[in-house]
Amino acid sequence: MVIPVHDVNPVRRTPVVTYALIGVNVFVFFFMPGLSGSVAGDSTLVQTCNLHAFLEQYAAVPTELIHHQLPQLVPTGDARDGGCVLGPPGYDKSPALSVLTAMFLHGGWLHLLGNMLFLLIFGNNVEDRMGHLRFALFYVACGYAASYGFALLNADSTDPLIGASGAIAGVLGAYLVLYPKARVWVLVPFLIFLPLRLPAWLVLGFWFVLQAVYSSGEGVSEAGTVAYAAHIVGFLVGMLLAWPLKPGTPPPPEPGGLLFGRRARPRPTW
């Protein structure tokens, strides 16, 4: 897997929506109950039960999205006899609204930082091309499409669906359509982290192929813990929504060719 660190594709205006989305995601992450213990690796049972209760209320659950039925018993946040206490839900949950709240929840540092890195690198140019309001609507639409697409394929699943991955996959799909020839700086783990400057179509195309392979269960030991199908749906929806903007999109000011090693390092500007 390659790690993108920067793209050579300047923007005309400040990507305020992209920055705001990153800020909200980080803010919510720090205030998720039970997360401080899980980050330190010493979560207590009460913290774990609090987190389960929180996710049950605010995460998107595929079976709830498809069947519009809430479970009769949910975690209450209390712990007893070495397990989490179940009870009738003391809240009125809207499955459709839970898709929106789930977009801002993450299960750990790697989940959060990986998503925010991709959003920071590729979201600014998509926002620059679409405009602030249209980009915000686009982001939410891709997130909803990814969640409901995954739910249709897993209609009986009761596992909470969280994360911005589906919406950000839509951003990646849009970037591929709008800026396929833009150069992206990546780190490739090959004995050491080898810096490469690759075209966006190769970086994002490779990412999409990996999601398809992982979605089939190949190459991963626990494919069910990650909603790869949601990534695929979000990516394809992002491509379709961005396609009408492709004819009027100016190409990025970057020469062709693949550079690596020292030659791949950015030249200083004076």
Side-chain angles (χ1 to χ4, degrees), residues 14-201:
T14 303
V16 293
V17 175
T18 298
Y19 292 158
L21 288 171
I22 294 174
V24 173
N25 275 280
V26 173
F27 178 83
V28 171
F29 179 79
F30 278 107
F31 284 91
M32 287 180 62
L35 195 58
S36 58
S38 64
V39 171
D42 58 352
S43 296
T44 65
L45 179 60
V46 173
Q47 289 174 324
T48 301
C49 293
N50 282 334
L51 181 58
H52 286 331
F54 178 83
L55 293 179
E56 186 66 41
Q57 182 174 358
Y58 293 105
V61 180
T63 187
E64 295 175 3
L65 296 180
I66 300 303
H67 302 298
H68 301 284
Q69 293 180 349
L70 300 181
Q72 295 182 350
L73 296 177
V74 297
T76 64
D78 298 324
R80 183 185 305 160
D81 299 329
C84 297
V85 177
L86 301 180
Y91 49 83
D92 186 15
K93 179 180 180 180
S94 168
L97 184 60
S98 70
V99 175
L100 181 62
T101 56
M103 290 184 203
F104 298 94
L105 306 178
H106 290 84
W109 280 103
L110 291 179
H111 192 198
L112 173 71
L113 294 179
N115 278 344
M116 296 305 100
L117 176 64
F118 275 81
L119 179 58
L120 178 64
I121 293 174
F122 299 105
N124 59 347
N125 292 104
V126 178
E127 179 181 351
D128 186 55
R129 181 65 182 91
M130 292 184 174
H132 304 311
L133 179 58
R134 186 157 50 175
F135 175 73
L137 296 175
F138 165 84
Y139 182 90
V140 172
C142 289
Y144 265 85
S147 295
Y148 273 97
F150 179 83
L152 286 172
L153 298 173
N154 302 271
D156 296 326
S157 174
T158 58
D159 294 331
L161 187 63
I162 62 173
S165 304
I168 295 173
V171 174
L172 302 186
Y175 194 101
L176 178 61
V177 168
L178 298 175
Y179 305 103
K181 297 182 179 180
R183 290 309 193 245
V184 180
W185 292 90
V186 300
L187 296 177
V188 181
F190 183 74
L191 299 180
I192 60 173
F193 282 102
L194 181 66
L196 293 175
R197 191 181 68 187
L198 304 175
W201 66 263

Side-chain angles (χ1 to χ4, degrees), residues 182-247:
R183 290 309 193 245
V184 180
W185 292 90
V186 300
L187 296 177
V188 181
F190 183 74
L191 299 180
I192 60 173
F193 282 102
L194 181 66
L196 293 175
R197 191 181 68 187
L198 304 175
W201 66 263
L202 181 59
V203 176
L204 299 179
F206 179 65
W207 180 89
F208 180 78
V209 170
L210 280 181
Q211 307 311 300
V213 172
Y214 292 161
S215 179
S216 68
E218 298 292 334
V220 288
S221 59
E222 297 181 2
T225 61
V226 180
Y228 293 110
H231 302 174
I232 295 174
V233 174
F235 191 91
L236 295 176
V237 170
M239 292 184 66
L240 290 175
L241 293 178
W243 200 267
L245 298 176
K246 180 177 176 60

